[in-house]
Amino acid sequence: MQFLPKTIPEIQPEIIPVKESPPELVTFDVGGMKCAGCAKAVERQLMQYSGVISACVNLAVEVATVECQPGAVDAEALAKKLTDNGFPSQSRSGENQREVEAATIERRRQEIRQQINQLTIALILIILSGLGHVLGTKAPILSNIWFHWGLATLALLLPGRPIIVDGCRSLWRNAPNMNTLVALGAVTAYTASNAALLFPRMGWECFFDEPVMLLGFILLGKTLEQQARRRAASALQALIALQPAKARLVDFKLPSLDLRSEELPLNSTSAVYDPQYIEIPADRVRVGEWLQVLPGEKIPVDGEICEGKTTIDESMLTGESMPVLKQPGDTVAAGTINKSGAVVMRATRTGKETTVAQMVALVQAAQTRKAPIQNLADTVAGYFVYGVMAISVLTFLFWYFAGTHIWPSVLLGQGAMNMGHGAMNMGNELPIIHYQSPLLLSLKLAIAVLVIACPCALGLATPTAILVGSGIGAERGLLIRGGDVLERVHQLDTVVFDKTGTLTTGNLTLTDYLPIFQNSEWDLSSDINLGNRQDACSTSEGVSGDKQDVCSTIDGVSGDKQDVCSPIDGVSGRVDSKLLQIAAAVERGACHPIAAAILLEAQQQGLPLLAAEDFCTEPGFGVSALVEGRRVFAGNAEWMKEQGVAVAAQLSGSLEGKTAVYVASGGVLLGVIGLKDTLRPDAKAAVERLRGMGLRVMMLTGDTASAAAATAQQLDLTAADVLAEVRPEGKARAIATLQAQGCKVAVVGDGINDAPALAQADVGIGLHCGTDVAVETAQIVLMRNALMDVVESIELGRATFNKIRQNLFWAFGYNTLGIPVAAGILLPATGILLSPAAAGAFMAFSSVSVVTNSLFLRRGFRA
C-alpha cells in the first residue's frame, strides 16, 4: 500500500466552539455540625452561593466538598459565610494545606477534651442527684428540694450551656438541630419544676432530676460517639501522617558524597554533620532534584533510585508486609520507609502529585461522595427536627385535652418504664407520687418525644460506614472512590477481565519467528554478526508444549507455491534475524507489551536498531514506521488484510494459541513473529473466588481467538465467556452490550486500551501499576497489582454497603418505634411511661450504636 500526499484544501474561517472548563472542586473543614439537620443546613447555605453547582457535606468527618464554576467562587468568602451562620469553616485551598489539617486535628482534640470535662461535671451532678434518692432521710441535705434545684441549675449553666446556646441559635437561624430538641426538653422540664416549686398550690410535682440526667446521658452519648468517629477516621489520619515533612537535598555530582559512610544522626543539622546537604520541607522539593535518604527515614517524594541499594517497606501503601529490594533505576514512593541502606534518589513527582498525596486525596474524596441509598435519609433529615417538634406539640395537646380524660387511670402512679427517680414536693423528703396532674403528664410525654428523636443516627448511618470501609481499603491498598461506588459494587453480577497485563503478566516472551523475504526489496544477504545462517526448517514449541514441525507450504503473495519453515526451536536458533531487526525498529515507536518483548529480544541478541521515523500507532491493530526509507507495518492479521497483504490460513494455524505479529512492507509479507504470555499466579484462584461469590467471570481481549482460547482454557472459562479480537473502541461497546442485557458489569484492566471500557462499566477496577489513564477512569484502584485484591475489594464493598443498610434500618426503625413509645402509645394498655431522662438515654445509645456498628466492619477484615 502506497501513501500518497494529501492536498490540503483552502481553510475557510469558522467559529471553533470553546470547550467548557471542568468544574472546580473546593473542600472545606466545617465545624459546629451536630446532626443530619446541620449537614443539610450547610448544604443549603452552600447551594445558595452564586457559582456553586453542587455541594456535599459529610457529617462524620466534618468536611464539605463544593463543585463550582471555575473562578466563580471565592473560597475564603464562602468559608466566612458559613462561619457567620454558626458553622466555623476553613478552606483547604492554598499552600498552607498541611497547616490547615494540623489546625483541624488540634481543634477536634480540644473539642473532645472539652466534652470530657463537661461529661465529668454532668456525671458528678447525676451521682449527687442519685444519692438523694437512694439515701432519702439518712442524708437530709441530699434529699432537700432546694439542693436538687441547685443541681439542675448547675447542669444547665455548666455542662448544658453549650447545648442550650447552640440549640437556641440554630432555632433562631431557622436551622434547628439535635441540640434544639435537647435544649427545649431540658429547659421545659426545668421551667415546669420551677413553677411547681414556686407555686405549690398548683399541685404539680417537681422533677429537677430530669434535666440533670437528660444532659448527662446526652453528653455521655456525644463523647462516646466522638471517640468512635475518631477511631473510624484513624486510617485516614495514619495515611496523612505518612507524608514526610523534611527532605535532605544534596548535590549528586559532588565526589565526596559517600553513601557507605557512617549513618548520620537522625536529628542532625546540615551545618554540623554534613555541609553538603541541606534539609528543606518535603513539599518544596522540585522535580529533578537529588535527595539523600538514610536507613530508617521516610522517602520524601516519589522518585527513582540513582545510587545505592536498599530495601523499602511499602506496607503502608500496598499492605504488603515484605520489604522490596530497590536498586538504581527502580522507583520509590513518598511515605515508604528506607530499611537498610543509604541511597540517593532523583525526585520525579512532588507535592500533590506523589502517590501518597493522591491516595489521601482519593480517600478524602471518597468519604464525601454519598451513596444514592442515603438520599432518603437526607430528605428526611431536612424536615426531621420540625417534624419532631410538631409531634411533640400534638402529643401535649392530645394527652392534655383528650388522653387523660379517655384513660384517667394513666394519672395514677408512675409507669413501669418511668426511669425518673420520682417526683418532689415542697418538703424535705422525696415521697412516692400516686397522682399526676394532666398538665404535667402531658408535658413529660411531650418532652420525651423531643429528646428521644435522634437525627444524628440518620446523619451518621452512611458516612461512618464509608469512613471505616475506605480506611480499611486504604490500609490494604484498595482505594474505593465513594459511597456511590459501594452501592454499584453491591449490585454487580458480572466481572470482565482484560487479558494482557491483567489476567496475564504482560511480560511476553518471543517463542517463534518465521521470515518470508521472497519478492521483497530488503537486502537479505546481510550478516548481522550472529554466526552462520542455518537451515530455515526447524521446530517450534506449540500450545500444548510439545515440539511440532511447522515446515509447510503456503500461498505466497505472487500466487506461487513456496516452501517456508519456522526458523527456530524457541528463540535459540537465531536464524535470519533480519526480520527481528526490522520488527524491533518499527516497534520502537509503540508502548505495548508486544513491543517491549520484541525490543528485549533484539537487545539480547545484540542486534543494532535500524533507523526509523514517522511512527504511527493504530490501537488494536499495530504500528507502522519508515525503516530505511520503506514503510513497514507490524500488527495483526486483520491489519495486514487492510494493507492488502495476504496472510495464509496455514501460517496463522502454525502459531495456534500464541500472539502473532505480522511484518509487511510494500504489500509483501516479510514474516511473522510468535509471542506467548504467561498467566498470573493468582489468576485462577481469583476467578474461582469470584465465581464462588455468585459472579459471572468473562475475559475481554484484542488478541486472537486462539490466544484467548488458550488462556481461557487455563482458567476454565467457556467460549461464551470470552470476547476476543475486540478493538479498544469496541471494548466499550462490548461492555455496553452486556449492560443492555441487564448485567451489572465490573471491568478489571490496566492499560490505555482499557480506559474506555473502565469508564463504560458500572464499576471500573484499575491496577495502579498500569497507566495513569486507567487509574483515573477506574472507580476502584488496586495499589498492589494483585488479582486477589479484586476479590477483596468486591468483598469490602459488599460488606460496607451492608453496614450502610443496617445503619439506616436501625436509624429509621429506632425513630419510627421510639417516638410513638415516647408519645405514650403504650401507656393506656401497659402503663409504660418513658421519662425524659430515659428518652435521652435511648437517644444517646442510638447514635453511638450506629458508629459502633460501623466499627464492627473491621472484625471481618483483620490482617
Side-chain angles (χ1 to χ4, degrees):
M1 179 177 179
Q2 293 181 343
F3 285 80
L4 300 176
K6 288 186 177 181
T7 303
I8 301 177
E10 183 180 353
I11 299 176
Q12 300 293 332
E14 59 175 333
I15 299 176
I16 301 176
V18 179
K19 293 184 179 180
E20 294 185 1
S21 302
E24 182 181 357
L25 290 178
V26 184
T27 304
F28 299 91
D29 290 299
V30 183
M33 295 188 294
K34 309 301 180 184
C35 65
C38 294
K40 196 67 178 178
V42 172
E43 284 189 0
R44 283 198 302 267
Q45 293 177 26
L46 291 172
M47 289 299 298
Q48 293 170 0
Y49 199 88
S50 176
V52 173
I53 301 172
S54 65
C56 181
V57 179
N58 187 309
L59 175 63
V61 293
E62 297 180 318
V63 167
T65 301
V66 176
E67 187 179 34
C68 55
Q69 298 172 1
V73 172
D74 183 351
E76 297 303 326
L78 192 51
K80 186 177 185 301
K81 177 184 177 182
L82 292 177
T83 302
D84 294 341
N85 288 328
F87 301 102
S89 304
Q90 192 169 13
S91 170
R92 288 186 178 178
S93 60
E95 299 297 329
N96 60 337
Q97 184 172 353
R98 189 184 295 270
E99 291 78 5
V100 170
E101 290 174 350
T104 302
I105 294 173
E106 182 59 29
R107 174 177 59 82
R108 290 173 180 168
R109 287 176 180 170
Q110 290 179 357
E111 289 177 354
I112 292 176
R113 285 195 293 266
Q114 185 179 5
Q115 281 187 356
I116 292 175
N117 293 336
Q118 293 171 349
L119 175 61
T120 303
I121 297 173
L123 291 178
I124 292 173
L125 296 177
I126 289 176
I127 292 172
L128 292 175
S129 177
L131 287 176
H133 295 278
V134 174
L135 298 178
T137 56
K138 296 179 181 179
I141 296 179
L142 295 180
S143 61
N144 187 282
I145 187 63
W146 290 101
F147 177 76
H148 285 269
W149 172 85
L151 294 179
T153 304
L154 288 175
L156 293 178
L157 294 178
L158 296 178
R161 184 177 178 275
I163 295 176
I164 295 172
V165 171
D166 180 76
C168 294
R169 284 178 177 172
S170 299
L171 186 60
W172 178 259
R173 291 192 297 263
N174 197 28
N177 56 22
M178 181 196 72
N179 284 348
T180 304
L181 299 177
V182 175
L184 285 174
V187 171
T188 303
Y190 180 76
T191 303
S193 297
N194 272 300
L197 179 61
L198 298 176
F199 305 100
R201 292 184 181 182
M202 296 172 57
W204 291 6
E205 60 192 71
C206 297
F207 45 100
F208 286 115
D209 54 341
E210 294 291 357
V212 175
M213 298 189 64
L214 170 60
L215 292 172
F217 285 134
I218 296 299
L219 287 170
L220 176 62
K222 290 180 68 175
T223 303
L224 294 176
E225 173 196 321
Q226 194 74 16
Q227 294 286 1
R229 284 161 63 177
R230 187 179 178 184
R231 283 185 58 198
S234 60
L236 176 59
Q237 296 302 325
L239 200 59
I240 293 174
L242 289 180
Q243 302 179 87
K246 299 291 184 180
R248 183 180 288 105
L249 185 64
V250 298
D251 185 353
F252 185 55
K253 299 177 182 179
L254 288 176
S256 57
L257 182 63
D258 187 4
L259 297 178
R260 295 178 297 276
S261 62
E262 293 294 326
E263 178 184 339
L264 298 176
L266 296 181
N267 60 350
S268 64
T269 60
S270 58
V272 177
Y273 292 94
D274 190 345
Q276 299 172 3
Y277 79 83
I278 57 172
E279 282 191 354
I280 62 172
D283 53 6
R284 301 292 176 85
V285 176
R286 292 178 296 183
V287 173
E289 290 184 327
W290 306 96
L291 307 171
Q292 185 185 39
V293 186
L294 300 178
E297 293 182 340
K298 290 181 180 179
I299 304 296
V301 295
D302 288 5
E304 178 182 329
I305 299 293
C306 299
E307 185 72 21
K309 184 168 66 173
T310 186
T311 54
I312 300 292
D313 179 6
E314 298 180 340
S315 60
M316 60 289 299
L317 296 184
T318 66
E320 184 62 50
S321 58
M322 292 297 295
V324 181
L325 177 65
K326 298 291 183 179
Q327 304 180 72
D330 292 339
T331 58
V332 289
T336 56
I337 300 175
N338 181 16
K339 299 293 289 185
S340 56
V343 294
V344 168
M345 59 173 285
R346 182 176 61 85
T348 56
R349 290 194 295 186
T350 62
K352 296 180 180 179
E353 301 300 319
T354 63
T355 301
V356 66
Q358 291 179 359
M359 286 179 64
V360 170
L362 194 152
V363 173
Q364 287 177 333
Q367 292 174 355
T368 58
R369 287 173 59 171
K370 297 179 180 179
I373 196 175
Q374 193 184 354
N375 291 337
L376 177 60
D378 288 342
T379 302
V380 172
Y383 307 98
F384 185 84
V385 178
Y386 292 107
V388 170
M389 289 191 293
I391 294 172
S392 177
V393 172
L394 292 175
T395 299
F396 176 82
L397 294 175
F398 171 79
W399 282 105
Y400 184 68
F401 290 105
T404 54
H405 300 287
I406 299 173
W407 301 288
S409 60
V410 300
L411 299 174
L412 299 176
Q414 301 292 325
M417 283 295 291
N418 188 346
M419 294 182 64
H421 291 293
M424 306 176 193
N425 61 7
M426 288 299 297
N428 293 333
E429 297 180 357
L430 302 174
I432 298 176
I433 298 301
H434 298 286
Y435 175 81
Q436 295 186 89
S437 70
L439 181 62
L440 277 188
L441 177 64
S442 303
L443 197 59
K444 278 189 174 183
L445 290 170
I447 294 172
V449 169
L450 285 174
V451 297
I452 199 171
C454 187
C456 276
L458 289 173
L460 294 172
T462 298
T464 53
I466 295 176
L467 188 64
V468 176
S470 59
I472 294 172
E475 292 171 353
R476 296 169 174 265
L478 316 172
L479 305 183
I480 302 174
R481 291 189 184 269
D484 53 334
V485 178
L486 293 171
E487 187 160 341
R488 293 199 296 270
V489 167
H490 188 269
Q491 299 168 350
L492 290 178
D493 54 30
T494 305
V495 180
V496 179
F497 285 91
D498 173 57
K499 183 179 80 73
T500 304
T502 304
L503 285 172
T504 62
T505 61
N507 299 321
L508 285 82
T509 55
L510 197 150
T511 58
D512 311 86
Y513 56 87
L514 181 64
I516 309 169
F517 285 97
Q518 284 79 358
N519 301 323
S520 78
E521 300 176 356
W522 290 89
D523 179 15
L524 306 182
S525 61
S526 63
D527 182 33
I528 316 176
N529 298 324
L530 293 173
N532 298 327
R533 298 172 59 86
Q534 304 176 13
D535 185 9
C537 290
S538 182
T539 58
S540 68
E541 186 177 355
V543 176
S544 63
D546 300 328
K547 300 291 183 178
Q548 54 182 359
D549 186 11
V550 294
C551 292
S552 59
T553 304
I554 64 172
D555 291 329
V557 178
S558 63
D560 299 329
K561 297 289 185 179
Q562 45 184 291
D563 186 34
V564 182
C565 304
S566 176
I568 55 172
D569 178 11
V571 188
S572 59
R574 296 187 180 182
V575 297
D576 209 335
S577 295
K578 185 73 173 181
L579 173 65
L580 180 60
Q581 192 180 26
I582 296 171
V586 179
E587 295 288 358
R588 185 174 55 181
C591 180
H592 192 275
I594 290 176
I598 292 175
L599 287 168
L600 178 62
E601 181 62 27
Q603 180 183 2
Q604 291 176 347
Q605 293 194 22
L607 303 178
L609 289 178
L610 301 177
E613 59 183 355
D614 193 16
F615 296 95
C616 180
T617 300
E618 186 70 22
F621 284 101
V623 61
S624 68
L626 286 176
V627 181
E628 295 184 348
R630 302 181 183 92
R631 175 63 62 176
V632 180
F633 298 88
N636 57 24
E638 184 178 354
W639 203 30
M640 293 298 109
K641 293 176 183 177
E642 289 190 7
Q643 309 306 321
V645 179
V647 176
Q650 298 94 324
L651 186 59
S652 300
S654 67
L655 296 173
E656 186 75 23
K658 299 180 182 179
T659 300
V661 177
Y662 299 90
V663 183
S665 179
V668 178
L669 186 65
L670 301 181
V672 60
I673 296 175
L675 303 101
K676 192 172 184 180
D677 203 352
T678 55
L679 204 65
R680 285 179 183 260
D682 58 347
K684 188 173 179 62
V687 169
E688 291 176 350
R689 283 278 299 277
L690 290 172
R691 284 174 173 164
M693 295 164 61
L695 296 168
R696 179 188 181 189
V697 180
M698 301 182 67
M699 182 173 69
L700 178 66
T701 180
D703 211 341
T704 63
S706 62
T711 303
Q713 184 178 8
Q714 299 177 66
L715 297 171
D716 296 330
L717 296 179
T718 63
D721 293 332
V722 178
L723 303 175
E725 300 181 3
V726 182
R727 294 187 62 183
E729 62 271 19
K731 290 184 178 182
R733 288 196 296 269
I735 300 304
T737 301
L738 290 174
Q739 292 171 326
Q741 297 171 0
C743 299
K744 299 296 183 181
V745 185
V747 173
V748 185
D750 73 327
I752 294 178
N753 290 347
D754 308 319
L758 289 171
Q760 175 65 40
D762 296 284
V763 178
I765 304 177
L767 305 183
H768 187 61
C769 74
T771 64
D772 290 338
V773 176
V775 171
E776 286 299 318
T777 54
Q779 286 83 43
I780 299 177
V781 179
L782 307 181
M783 299 297 294
R784 277 196 302 193
N785 190 30
L787 286 183
M788 287 305 293
D789 282 354
V790 175
V791 179
E792 193 166 353
S793 65
I794 294 176
E795 289 178 340
L796 177 61
R798 286 181 170 184
T800 304
F801 188 72
N802 285 335
K803 284 297 179 187
I804 293 174
R805 294 204 299 188
Q806 292 171 14
N807 290 344
L808 287 173
F809 176 80
W810 165 253
F812 279 109
Y814 164 82
N815 286 290
T816 302
L817 296 176
I819 292 176
V821 171
I825 194 173
L826 301 178
L827 182 57
T830 64
I832 294 178
L833 171 65
L834 207 59
S835 72
F842 280 118
M843 192 272 277
F845 169 74
S846 175
S847 57
V848 172
S849 63
V850 166
V851 183
T852 304
N853 186 50
S854 298
L855 288 173
F856 283 157
L857 186 61
R858 287 190 172 275
R859 297 175 61 183
F861 290 89
R862 290 175 178 168

